[in-house]
Amino acid sequence: MGRKPNPERKPELLRAVVAELSRSGLAGVSLRPLAHALGVSTYTLSYHFGSKEQLLAEALTYVEEEQRRLVAGWTAELGSEPSAAAVIERYWAWVSRPENLAQVRLVFEVLTSPQGAELLPGEHRRRLMSAWVELIAGELHAQGVPKRRASVEATITASALAGMVLDLLATGDQRRLRTAARALGEHLVATRDALDPEDCILPSR
């Protein structure tokens, strides 16, 4: 009889699952070949995650939370009044690295593929897509942009950012897209600065 899996190993195993799914994608994903790729037993994956649906949900939650931690760290480094434009610039530098782009590609695959729709509930996929909108809208509002305008600008910016990531995945054109990411941030700054001062009521933090 084999040893019972160690519950404390789950975070390490989850990181390995994310790395393997980022490399291989969702096509034909199942516990047996995934376990083989990770060098563990199918029982180990079942013990920690239950089903492949739960495994995928936890893997995507891990990716989402990791990116939130990164953004929180960048925001803290930028000081008491962080700029959404500066955060976008930091994000683009991060996503341009191949290992990070692979993680983001996995998220896009979940959001856009029929298999992703089958494996993850709509609420989970909605949250993955809305995270950037909420972040950018919050920063714009903190800088005095009215909530409704902040939401609209954040939606446009997040959609543009997602399109640029798809462009990077398709073309690999780092230089062109780095310039575009900088321009996207500059657009946010210009939008804020162009507002009538009487419309910009700084919210209390």
Side-chain angles (χ1 to χ4, degrees), residues 1 10 30 52 59 94 105 107 114 116 126 135 151 170 176 195 197 201:
M1 183 176 179
K10 185 174 181 178
S30 64
K52 70 177 181 181
W94 178 86
R105 182 197 58 76
V107 173
R126 186 205 64 78
L135 167 72
S151 177
R176 174 174 59 85
L195 290 174
I201 303 174

Side-chain angles (χ1 to χ4, degrees), residues 4 10 17 21 40 49 111 133 149 151 187 192 203 205:
K4 187 175 181 180
K10 185 174 181 178
V17 166
L21 290 176
V40 300
F49 301 105
L111 290 172
V133 175
R149 178 67 180 273
S151 177
H187 168 76
R192 179 200 63 195
R205 283 191 177 266

Side-chain angles (χ1 to χ4, degrees), residues 103-117:
Q103 276 194 17
V104 177
R105 182 197 58 76
L106 175 63
V107 173
F108 274 55
E109 187 176 1
V110 169
L111 290 172
T112 59
S113 70
Q115 188 173 12

Side-chain angles (χ1 to χ4, degrees), residues 10-172:
K10 185 174 181 178
E12 174 191 348
L13 187 59
L14 186 57
R15 286 192 295 271
V17 166
V18 169
E20 176 58 26
L21 290 176
S22 298
R23 184 194 67 79
S24 63
L26 294 179
V29 64
S30 64
L31 293 185
R32 187 178 299 278
L34 183 58
H36 178 75
L38 297 176
V40 300
S41 67
T42 305
Y43 171 68
T44 296
L45 291 184
S46 297
Y47 173 83
H48 285 293
F49 301 105
S51 64
K52 70 177 181 181
E53 290 80 10
Q54 182 61 27
L55 180 147
L56 183 61
E58 292 196 38
L60 268 294
T61 297
Y62 173 90
V63 172
E64 179 189 5
E65 290 178 349
E66 181 182 38
Q67 292 190 32
R68 286 184 183 275
R69 284 194 297 271
L70 284 169
V71 170
W74 297 330
T75 300
E77 290 174 10
L78 291 167
S80 60
E81 293 187 5
S83 163
V87 171
I88 287 174
E89 188 172 343
R90 296 281 185 97
Y91 172 76
W92 195 259
W94 178 86
V95 83
S96 296
R97 292 194 285 272
E99 65 276 15
N100 300 329
L101 183 60
Q103 276 194 17
V104 177
R105 182 197 58 76
L106 175 63
V107 173
F108 274 55
E109 187 176 1
V110 169
L111 290 172
T112 59
S113 70
Q115 188 173 12
E118 291 175 2
L119 292 173
L120 276 185
E123 176 59 25
H124 196 126
R125 287 181 286 118
R126 186 205 64 78
R127 192 174 72 245
L128 287 169
M129 192 62 197
S130 65
W132 270 106
V133 175
E134 294 169 0
L135 167 72
I136 296 168
E139 292 300 338
L140 288 174
H141 183 55
Q143 293 169 21
V145 179
K147 280 188 175 181
R148 181 174 295 180
R149 178 67 180 273
S151 177
V152 170
E153 291 296 336
T155 299
I156 293 170
T157 302
S159 296
L161 197 57
M164 288 164 56
V165 171
L166 285 174
D167 191 333
L168 183 60
L169 285 166
T171 68

